[in-house]
Amino acid sequence: MSAALSEGAEVLIMQYPGRQERLDEPALEDLGELADAAVAALEPWRHRPLTLFGHSMGSVVAYEVARRLERRPGPGPAGLIVSGNMAPSIEQDQGVHRMDDEELMAWMSQLAGTPPAVLADRELLATVVPALRGDFTALETYRHPEGSSVACPIIGYLGDHDPHVPYDGFLRWVEHTTAEFTVQIFEGGHFYIDDQVQDVARSILRDLDAFVSRRPARHHLA
């Protein structure tokens, strides 16, 4: 995705602890701590026209980052793109973070977002499970601050066959912005972004232009 966006945006990718080059760090289990870490990392770019994008749990992280940025001196984010998740005010505790390892991986298999080779590799799973459990703990224990919203516009992306995101729950993102909320539907399930990289990238670049009133030399996507 970052390569597809690079012609029109400077892309900043948040790598959560417990993954890839941060594998030796313990996974964070508090969504607020993830948002705080992202805000700190964005400090060098905070006066530029940032658009935040998050998919699945990342959509709530991006929303919390936007809330924090708007409370600080200086410009807030130009816009927020949320993908594949219900509104943050809807509690999402399905008990996944309390499952044992076998149950957790069975659940991930049903989600269809984890390659079968990963699910079959016990040694690899030992490195993956702590990060997954951290993600589900962060999302399922998150509680939205009552009455909170952002001032920037929100655009919601959703796969038309996503079994995990009821459409009425997705539409409730409208409650969390004092600006505009619009929706774009893509063909596919929860991980439609993996199957339609070019289409999603084109939509993001179009929405960056809509968010930023004056097109700078390069946009910045976080």
Side-chain angles (χ1 to χ4, degrees):
M1 179 69 73
S2 59
L5 290 167
S6 61
E7 291 299 318
E10 180 180 355
V11 182
L12 310 173
I13 300 174
M14 180 180 181
Q15 183 65 271
Y16 295 162
R19 291 169 170 77
Q20 297 182 4
E21 70 271 13
R22 302 185 69 183
L23 190 61
D24 59 340
E25 301 178 42
L28 290 179
E29 298 184 344
D30 185 281
L31 195 139
E33 291 183 19
L34 285 169
D36 289 339
V39 169
L42 287 171
E43 183 64 27
W45 291 273
R46 59 184 298 243
H47 293 292
R48 302 182 188 183
L50 287 169
T51 289
L52 304 169
F53 174 89
H55 178 71
S56 196
M57 182 186 82
S59 65
V60 185
V61 176
Y63 169 77
E64 284 296 329
V65 172
R67 285 206 319 118
R68 286 158 168 76
L69 290 175
E70 289 186 348
R71 294 201 301 264
R72 303 181 69 175
L80 172 63
I81 302 174
V82 297
S83 170
N85 208 342
M86 293 186 291
S89 54
I90 300 175
E91 294 185 14
Q92 300 189 49
D93 188 357
Q94 302 179 63
V96 178
H97 72 286
R98 293 185 291 272
M99 293 178 179
D100 63 29
D101 290 356
E102 293 292 333
E103 293 171 329
L104 177 58
M105 296 320 300
W107 196 94
M108 288 301 299
S109 179
Q110 294 174 1
L111 190 62
T114 305
V118 173
L119 296 171
D121 189 328
R122 293 289 172 174
E123 185 175 347
L124 182 57
L125 281 180
T127 66
V128 171
V129 167
L132 289 174
R133 191 178 302 284
D135 285 356
F136 284 111
T137 301
L139 181 61
E140 293 187 336
T141 61
Y142 167 80
R143 297 296 179 266
H144 180 260
E146 187 175 353
S148 296
S149 63
V150 294
C152 66
I154 298 177
I155 296 179
Y157 291 1
L158 183 67
D160 62 357
H161 292 97
D162 189 333
H164 300 282
V165 185
Y167 190 59
D168 56 349
F170 178 72
L171 290 180
R172 285 186 58 185
W173 276 102
V174 71
E175 301 169 10
H176 300 296
T177 176
T178 58
E180 292 183 344
F181 171 67
T182 55
V183 172
Q184 179 166 351
I185 303 298
F186 294 85
E187 183 177 349
H190 188 66
F191 292 99
Y192 73 90
I193 59 175
D194 294 333
D195 300 324
Q196 300 194 58
V197 172
Q198 294 300 325
D199 286 346
V200 175
R202 280 193 292 269
S203 293
I204 291 174
L205 291 175
R206 177 204 64 212
D207 293 334
L208 287 175
D209 284 341
F211 283 145
V212 181
S213 59
R214 181 174 59 86
R215 185 182 177 94
R218 289 176 68 84
H219 292 144
H220 302 270
L221 176 70

